Structure formats: structure tokens, C-alpha cells
Amino acid sequence: MLSVKGLKASVGDEPILKGLDLEVKPGEVHAIMGPNGSGKSTFAHVLSGREGYEVTGGSAELDGEDLFELEPEERARLGLFLAFQYPVELPGVNNMYFLKAALNAIRKSRGEEELDAVSFMRLMKEKLKILHLDDSLLKRPVNFGFSGGEKKRNEIFQMALLEPKLAILDETDSGLDIDALRIVADGVNALRSPERSMIVVTHYQRLLDYIQPDHVHVLAKGRIIRSGGKELALELEEKGYGWIVEGEAA
Amino acid sequence: MSAIPAEATTAEEKVETTGQYDELVNAGYEHGFITEIESETLPPGLDEGVIRTISARKGEPEWMTEWRLAAYRKWLEMPTPTWASVHYPPIDYQSISYFSAPKKKDGPKSLDEVDPALLETYEKLGIPIEEQKALAGVAVDAVFDSVSVATTFREKLHEAGVIFCSISEALQEYPELVQKYIGTVVPPTDNFYVGLNSAVFTDGTFVYVPKNTRCPMELSTYFRINEAKTGQFERTLIVADEGSYVSYLEGCTAPQRDENQLHAAVVELIALDDAEIKYSTVQNWYPGDENGKGGIYNFVTKRGDCRGARSKISWTQVETGSAITWKYPSCILRGDDSVGEFYSVAVTKGMQQADTGTKMIHLGKNTSSTIVSKGISAQHGQQAYRGLVRIAGKAEGARNHTQCDSLLIGDQSAAHTFPYIEVKNPSAKMEHEATTSKISEDQLFYCRARGLTEEDAVSMIVNGFCKEVFNELPMEFAVEAQKLLSISLEGAVG
Ligand SMILES: Nc1ncnc2c1ncn2[C@@H]1O[C@H](COP(=O)(O)OP(=O)(O)OP(=O)(O)O)[C@@H](O)[C@H]1O
Ligand SMILES: [Mg+2]
């Protein structure tokens, strides 16, 4: 599914990712943990094609396609989805309209028929239920005036609707209350399938109680310095990052 | 200032040559009016002789000729306005031909000679090839369907008693109506361009809606494209008699080309007791090439007079074209309980400059006005909003709500806001909101990460920004306006 090899990226002259390797197979859920500023969001942004980062080495392929040859929208149409750590507000742009345009852009690129308003509404109703979202949010502008938690839930709702191959969830759990966390996790679990892979970036082991990862990685100083099973997350929760990061340095 | 005496001198010299024009006029009548205007054009220059010639050729009543001359004499004394924050080279008014035949000969011979960028836009708007030719100024012989459509419309209007015709026709058929209302909202002395227009206008539209009549259809100039090209000096006069309603649509979404750089139109609206006029404009003049060369200078004076009690005038405009736009559709709220509205979207990109806004003059009691102005600037586009709200001493209980939003695309564009408020009655309630926002990289990336192209993203954000104004447009116009906005902002990002 996703194959990242020796990825190096910098912002300006500042190298941030310094040789990152990651293999994600279909159906797998990988958790990425790591200290603040270690490059987790940078990794997510570089994969999805945000401007302002320079890839200085390595490669990233999604189903054999070189991601770095593609525009951000082409990557999205290929099935890459990023749930933003900080979802962006689009004042004046109706949420429903936005979602329909996005879905149809993706469907069109897959050679599928565009959905008409009725089938789209039906699909939305179905997905809303999964996330226990109030449909009044759909009538509002995208993320505009949404609470922090609503924004995060809206991201997962979009993921449910767009049905990506590979979803990267960047700290989707932060800012969620206990019930919302549960709902989002249930939503994510409902979307797990043998064809769909996920990369879950989080600071908290708690999320991984709900979303059981196949692999856990520690990203520090721009590289993955340790990988393990879900027990690694528990160990991190207990001991923090110091021991690995220092161990690495030593 | 030195230009004025110079012009005056030129005028005096030319007056002596009047006789020559008289000959032209007489010759014209021999061959019949229509063929005459197709084959002849007055030489460039402006003086009283030219004005008499225009008036005579149009078969106007004597009072009209005198009215034009009076306007001309006043115009000679007026300075060109320089306060609008737009910049353009001085215009030589003696180099313009004030009575020109349809430009069959001067225009491009075929679409091959037309700016390809312009043609591309026509394609995107889905405009039929024959209409493309007309818009681009190519000589067209074929008659469009739209003309027969126009005839059907006319019959329907006639049944309702609505008069909808060219201003020249109105001067011959309904001279007393024209005389009663023309210049009563925008007097010839109003400003420089009005003075010039009053002296020399040759095209335009007249509408009269009788008492208690709801005009049975939207009046549109769109279907008139073939009948009359938009003139350089247009004059529009719309009168809604007591208890009547009319919705008038001006312009069209296709970029119109014209080799006349200067356009100085005058639009006067009059709403009597309980009458309502809705005036919508979607204007897309050719803005010129990327350096602004060849673009239209659009200096237009539009004013509505809510003359009667409980009358309402509403201006809605979407402006994307012109090299330079200078216009302030205004309302005079004379009648008690009258209502004025101004909804505007203006786009400037490339080297375009726009100085627009509105004036709401509250004279009657309990009058209210609403101003919603949305400005979008991209690339080097320069935009100024200038709004005046004046509450007169006797305007007890007046209310105004002004909302003025600017959206910048890229960091080289600019928007300026100049609100002027004069309140002479303490009971007035005034609200003013202004915002400036920018389409951010974050927003664009967010949209792209969801599979939308940058252009889709921009047009979505822009349409969202303009929604309040689009909502005021008649349905089919709103759809076209949206499309137009997307097209005009294509490639404006980055
Ligand atoms: N656009 C940018 N300009 C300058 N520095 C940047 C930029 N983007 C990221 N960085 C820097 O790169 C480093 C990694 O940032 P990143 O956001 O990837 O961290 P993170 O692991 O996601 O942290 P957190 O857990 O706090 O979300 C930080 O030091 C950050 O300041
Ligand atoms: Mg982060």
C-alpha cells in the first residue's frame, strides 16, 4: 500500500525529516507517536503534498505510484486522505456543497458516475449516523465556527464519505471529550477494512485502546527510531520518550 | 485646468462649420435613416454643430436639441473628475466620433482576428458562434433567434401596457413622458461624464410601467445584443408609476469588446408611490490584455429616485470587466418609508482598477437603506469602495446597514474602503461592518487535500464570499454570474 524509503524533507534550510522509512500493508493500522516537534505533522503534510516543504531525498509510493510526482488533489483522488490536526475554516462555503464537490471530483477521477443530489443526501445520512453528527453542521460553512471537537469529528465524517485507501489521522483525538473520543474511534473502527490502511498520529495511548493498531512507531528527530506492537504504546505511556530518544543518541 | 479653454476654443472654431453638417443631415434623410447610419459616421470632434446634427438625425423634438446644447455648454466649464483613486491617461474628447455608424468596417473581419483569450471565455460560457461574433464586434449578417424572441416579448409587454423601447424611439413616440422625467434624477450638470452624455447620447433604453402594473417579465438587454451594440454614451430611463413593479437586467456575462475605450452611460430610475424597481447588472467589459491595453474605461452614473412614499429601488451589480470602472449606483430616498438597496460584487485582477460604491441619500421619514459590497482583488487589481450615507435633518427615523467586505487573492492586490457618513438627524440608526480577508494557502491546501483543484477551491471560496449578493440576482443571472466569476479568476492564483 504505502512504501516510504529514506524520506528526507526540510522547511527552508531546516531539515525536519531525516531518513524516514515506513511500510504499510493493506488493512493495517499503524500508530505514530513521538515528542512535540519531532516531525509527525510534517510527515503527513509531505505525503499529502503541502507546499512549503522540500523533499530532499528518499521516496514515497502509494500502490506503486510515486506520490511526489502528483499534485495534492491527484494524491487525494488516488485515495490518500489526511485528517488535519488543525482543520481549516472555509467561511461562506457550505459544508454539504463542499463535500459533494470533493466526492464527485474523486469519483470522476475513478471513472465513476457523479452522484446526484438525492443519492448524495442518502449517502450522507448514512455516514452521519456512524459519527453521531448533527446534520445542522452540514448546512453551515465548512468548519466555520465549529467547536474543536466538531471539527475533528467532521474530518472523520469526511473520511467516511470519501472512502480513502490510506487515511492519515493527525492527532484526531486531541481536543475530543471522552464521549466524542469513543464515537470517533468507533467511526474509525467501522471504516477499517482489509483494503483500507490507516496511519494514526497520537500522543495518547488511550486512543489506541479503542483503535487497536497493528504496529506502533516512535518518530523522533525526523526518523522512526523504534517500532513495535501495541504494547510499545503502553510502555511509552508509562516511561515517556526520554529513554528511547536517549538510547538512540547513545 | 488648461484643457478647458483649449476645448472651448476648438468648439468655437467648429461652430462656424455647422453648415457642412446640415448638408449631411439632409443627405441622410434622402436615403432613409437606417441605411444612412450604416454608411456614415461623423468625423471626430465635438461642437454645437455636431450636437445639432445628432439631434436632427434622431428626429428629436426641439426641446431635446436645446437640452443637449445647454448640457454641452455647461460641460465645457466642468473639470474632469480626478478624485477617484484610479489612474488613466487623459482622454482627448475631440478625437472621438460622436455619431458613428455600426462598426462593420472597423471591427475584426472574422473570429480569427479576435483575441484568442476572449474566444476561450466565450467557449467556456457556452455562447453560440453567431453571438460570439456579435460580442467580439465581428460583422454579422445572420439574424439571431433572439430578435424574434424580442418581438414576442414586446407584444406581451404591450398587452400589459409596459413601454420598453430605445430612448430614441421613446423621444419620437412618447416625447412628453421622456420630457417629464429625463434629467430629473441625474441633471446634466451632475458631473463631467453626465454633462458629456447629456449632450451627445445616441443609444439607450426607455421603460415605463403604468400604475398598478407588475411587469410580466424580467426586462433584459441581453436579447438586444444584435439589435443595438452597447453604445459609448448610453442613456437609460426607467419610470415605475404608482404601485408598479419592474425588474431590469443589464449587461451580459460574455466579455464585450468595443473599440470605444470610453463609456459614459447615465441611468435614471424613478419609483413613484408604492412602486419597486430592481435593477441588476452583470457587466463584463473587455478588461484589456494582461497589461490593461485595449480595455474599456467605464464611467457610468446610475441613480435611482424613490420619489414616492413606500417606494423601493434595489441595485445589484456584478462587475468583472473594464480596465477602469468608476461607478456609484445611488438612491435618493425622497418618499417617506422608502427603501434603497445596493448589492455589489466587483472583481479586479491583472491591471484592472475599480472605484465603486454607492450613495444613499435619506430625505424622507423612516427611510431605510442596505449596502452590501463585496470586493475581490487578485494579482495587481486595485479596488476602492466609496460609500456615502447621508441622513438629512428631516429624515426622522432613518436606518442604514452597511457591510463592506474585501477578499484578496495573492499579496499584490489591494482594497481600500472609504465610508462617508453624514448624519443630520439624531434619530438615525447606523450600522457599519467591514472585513478584509485573504484566501490563505491553508484553505487552498485543505481543499486540494480533498480532491479539488486550486481553481475549484478559489471559485468555491469566492462564490461563498459573494453569496449574499448572488442571492439578490434573478436565478438564471445568478448562475451565470457564478460561472463568470470562476472564469475570470482562473489563473489568478499563485
Ligand atoms: N512551515 C514551517 N516553518 C518553519 N518550521 C516548521 C514548519 N513546519 C514545521 N516546522 C518545524 O518542524 C518541526 C516539526 O514540526 P511538526 O509539526 O511536524 O511536529 P509534530 O511532530 O507534528 O509536533 P506536534 O506533536 O506538536 O504536533 C518543528 O520544529 C516545527 O517548528
Ligand atoms: Mg503535529
Side-chain angles (χ1 to χ4, degrees):
Chain A
M1 172 81 51
L2 177 72
S3 170
V4 179
K5 292 198 179 98
L7 179 59
K8 291 184 186 166
S10 48
V11 173
D13 294 334
E14 190 70 36
I16 313 250
L17 301 181
K18 300 166 187 165
L20 193 151
D21 298 292
L22 185 68
E23 292 289 330
V24 179
K25 297 203 174 65
E28 287 182 348
V29 173
H30 289 238
I32 297 184
M33 304 183 81
N36 292 132
S38 57
K40 303 181 297 296
S41 294
T42 301
F43 178 51
H45 287 150
V46 168
L47 286 187
S48 44
R50 184 181 198 127
E51 277 169 41
Y53 299 93
E54 198 192 341
V55 175
T56 52
S59 64
E61 287 182 0
L62 182 63
D63 277 347
E65 295 242 22
D66 180 355
L67 285 179
F68 301 143
E69 287 292 312
L70 303 175
E71 294 294 324
E73 60 271 29
E74 294 170 325
R75 301 182 199 194
R77 291 169 186 183
L78 196 61
L80 179 68
F81 180 89
L82 169 63
F84 284 59
Q85 181 173 3
Y86 304 107
V88 180
E89 300 192 350
L90 302 176
V93 180
N94 176 274
N95 208 0
M96 202 147 39
Y97 181 77
F98 175 75
L99 291 171
K100 184 160 175 256
L103 180 63
N104 280 332
I106 289 172
R107 289 179 67 97
K108 212 167 134 192
S109 74
R110 289 183 194 153
E112 294 169 6
E113 227 173 285
E114 294 189 26
L115 285 187
D116 59 33
V118 178
S119 357
F120 177 72
M121 279 308 292
R122 201 175 300 134
L123 183 67
M124 281 227 294
K125 287 260 151 66
E126 190 187 304
K127 305 289 182 186
L128 275 173
K129 260 189 234 141
I130 304 178
L131 284 150
H132 302 260
L133 261 178
D134 186 26
D135 62 2
S136 68
L137 288 184
L138 295 176
K139 296 181 188 125
R140 287 171 45 187
V142 180
N143 293 321
F144 188 68
F146 286 21
S147 76
E150 284 168 345
K151 283 182 185 167
K152 295 299 180 77
R153 264 200 267 177
N154 191 39
E155 292 291 290
I156 302 305
F157 171 63
Q158 292 183 1
M159 161 169 133
L161 201 65
L162 301 179
E163 303 185 316
K165 271 188 221 162
L166 173 70
I168 307 171
L169 313 186
D170 192 0
E171 295 197 29
T172 300
D173 53 334
S174 36
L176 291 180
D177 66 38
I178 300 158
D179 293 336
L181 181 66
R182 181 93 227 192
I183 291 166
V184 165
D186 287 348
V188 171
N189 284 327
L191 293 170
R192 281 179 86 153
S193 87
E195 296 84 45
R196 182 170 298 133
S197 315
M198 297 190 199
I199 297 174
V200 179
V201 175
T202 181
H203 286 294
Y204 306 105
Q205 133 71 19
R206 197 184 52 205
L207 178 71
L208 304 179
D209 282 343
Y210 297 124
I211 304 172
Q212 300 260 330
D214 301 300
H215 301 275
V216 175
H217 309 277
V218 177
L219 176 59
K221 297 182 181 160
R223 294 168 58 202
I224 291 195
I225 56 166
R226 173 137 343 176
S227 299
K230 52 183 183 266
E231 65 293 337
L232 177 58
L234 284 168
E235 206 174 347
L236 290 170
E237 180 94 338
E238 202 177 306
K239 303 195 206 159
Y241 295 111
W243 60 285
I244 321 181
V245 179
E246 277 155 30
E248 174 75 3
Chain B
M1 292 304 284
S2 64
I4 291 161
E7 272 173 9
T9 325
T10 321
E12 269 168 40
E13 283 167 10
K14 289 257 172 84
V15 169
E16 293 163 19
T17 64
T18 305
Q20 181 193 327
Y21 291 114
D22 286 341
E23 270 174 40
L24 271 175
V25 174
N26 296 336
Y29 279 113
E30 265 178 34
H31 302 287
F33 184 64
I34 299 297
T35 45
E36 175 59 22
I37 62 160
E38 278 182 355
S39 57
E40 284 193 66
T41 298
L42 285 186
L46 182 56
D47 57 31
E48 297 203 359
V50 168
I51 291 165
R52 284 182 199 281
T53 308
I54 292 171
S55 195
R57 288 219 186 165
K58 291 269 168 191
E60 289 175 354
E62 180 60 25
W63 64 264
M64 192 67 226
T65 315
E66 289 308 318
W67 193 82
R68 287 178 180 276
L69 289 170
Y72 173 68
R73 288 170 198 140
K74 286 275 200 273
W75 177 73
L76 288 176
E77 295 161 14
M78 282 188 226
T80 317
T82 51
W83 50 276
S85 59
V86 295
H87 308 279
Y88 60 97
I91 297 164
D92 178 5
Y93 296 96
Q94 292 301 339
S95 71
I96 296 171
S97 174
Y98 290 87
F99 190 88
S100 53
K103 290 118 201 148
K104 289 206 167 180
K105 297 218 178 60
D106 332 343
K109 302 276 179 299
S110 75
L111 284 178
D112 298 340
E113 292 173 31
V114 175
D115 182 353
L118 200 63
L119 294 179
E120 204 177 309
T121 311
Y122 292 154
E123 287 300 324
K124 285 178 189 154
L125 285 164
I127 292 168
I129 196 91
E130 285 305 318
E131 277 187 56
Q132 290 190 20
K133 287 185 187 166
L135 291 164
V138 176
V140 192
D141 300 318
V143 179
F144 310 155
D145 289 350
S146 56
V147 177
S148 47
V149 170
T151 315
T152 326
F153 279 10
R154 276 201 174 190
E155 279 163 14
K156 224 166 141 189
L157 290 170
H158 188 75
E159 269 169 43
V162 174
I163 300 170
F164 177 41
C165 62
S166 77
I167 192 94
S168 311
E169 206 177 324
L171 275 161
Q172 290 173 10
E173 305 282 326
Y174 316 99
E176 27 353 282
L177 269 180
V178 178
Q179 187 172 18
K180 186 169 172 192
Y181 293 107
I182 195 166
T184 61
V185 186
V186 182
T189 49
D190 193 82
N191 69 56
F192 184 81
Y193 299 110
V194 169
L196 182 60
N197 175 292
S198 304
V200 304
F201 75 87
T202 49
D203 309 277
T205 308
F206 177 71
V207 177
Y208 174 80
V209 189
K211 277 183 193 169
N212 302 317
T213 301
R214 198 179 162 87
C215 184
M217 68 191 65
E218 313 261 3
L219 298 184
S220 165
T221 47
Y222 185 60
F223 57 73
R224 290 196 313 129
I225 284 172
N226 188 43
E227 289 185 87
K229 260 183 76 169
T230 314
Q232 202 174 359
F233 302 101
E234 284 218 7
R235 188 97 198 178
T236 302
L237 177 59
I238 300 178
V239 182
D241 212 327
E242 293 171 17
S244 69
Y245 169 84
V246 62
S247 166
Y248 184 90
L249 315 182
E250 173 202 40
C252 76
T253 50
Q256 272 176 292
R257 247 204 111 148
D258 199 312
E259 52 281 21
N260 295 318
Q261 263 209 311
L262 171 70
H263 280 248
V266 172
V267 177
E268 296 180 277
L269 311 183
I270 296 150
L272 301 182
D273 285 359
D274 300 292
E276 178 176 350
I277 302 175
K278 199 170 161 54
Y279 192 105
S280 313
T281 308
V282 173
Q283 196 65 76
N284 190 15
W285 291 113
Y286 183 60
D289 61 16
E290 61 270 34
N291 299 315
K293 226 179 135 213
I296 304 283
Y297 299 171
N298 187 21
F299 301 119
V300 46
T301 301
K302 292 181 161 179
R303 194 171 304 152
D305 188 353
C306 286
R307 205 164 281 181
R310 298 165 304 278
S311 57
K312 178 175 175 183
I313 289 178
S314 172
W315 298 100
T316 306
Q317 58 173 27
V318 177
E319 297 275 341
T320 63
S322 297
I324 297 176
T325 301
W326 181 89
K327 67 186 254 182
Y328 317 91
S330 309
C331 294
I332 302 167
L333 303 170
R334 207 183 296 278
D336 289 348
D337 301 290
S338 61
V339 176
E341 293 175 340
F342 173 77
Y343 297 94
S344 163
V345 167
V347 180
T348 49
K349 62 162 186 175
M351 302 303 284
Q352 281 177 287
Q353 305 173 52
D355 193 304
T356 65
T358 185
K359 291 177 202 158
M360 293 288 175
I361 313 296
H362 293 250
L363 303 175
K365 293 190 180 63
N366 300 314
T367 47
S368 76
S369 59
T370 304
I371 298 171
V372 178
S373 161
K374 305 275 181 176
I376 301 161
S377 300
Q379 296 163 335
H380 294 274
Q382 293 285 322
Q383 199 163 127
Y385 167 81
R386 212 178 279 281
L388 168 68
V389 180
R390 181 185 294 150
I391 312 284
K394 287 183 185 153
E396 198 68 33
R399 278 162 300 156
N400 165 265
H401 178 83
T402 298
Q403 189 188 322
C404 189
D405 301 323
S406 308
L407 184 67
L408 304 180
I409 302 175
D411 42 22
Q412 289 178 305
S413 56
H416 316 275
T417 304
F418 307 100
Y420 303 94
I421 297 172
E422 293 172 25
V423 180
K424 301 232 172 72
N425 185 307
S427 68
K429 282 204 183 71
M430 315 287 286
E431 292 168 357
H432 184 97
E433 287 173 41
T435 66
T436 299
S437 50
K438 215 171 170 168
I439 297 188
S440 67
E441 287 293 330
D442 281 352
Q443 289 175 324
L444 291 179
F445 176 63
Y446 189 74
C447 295
R448 297 179 79 187
R450 296 295 175 258
L452 301 167
T453 61
E454 187 162 272
E455 274 160 9
D456 286 343
V458 169
S459 94
M460 213 176 251
I461 294 168
V462 165
N463 280 327
F465 176 74
C466 302
K467 203 153 47 189
E468 283 160 281
V469 175
F470 288 166
N471 285 345
E472 293 298 319
L473 287 172
M475 189 57 185
E476 73 278 10
F477 236 38
V479 173
E480 282 188 43
Q482 272 194 26
K483 216 156 128 190
L484 172 63
L485 222 59
S486 314
I487 293 170
S488 64
L489 286 170
E490 258 175 34
V493 189

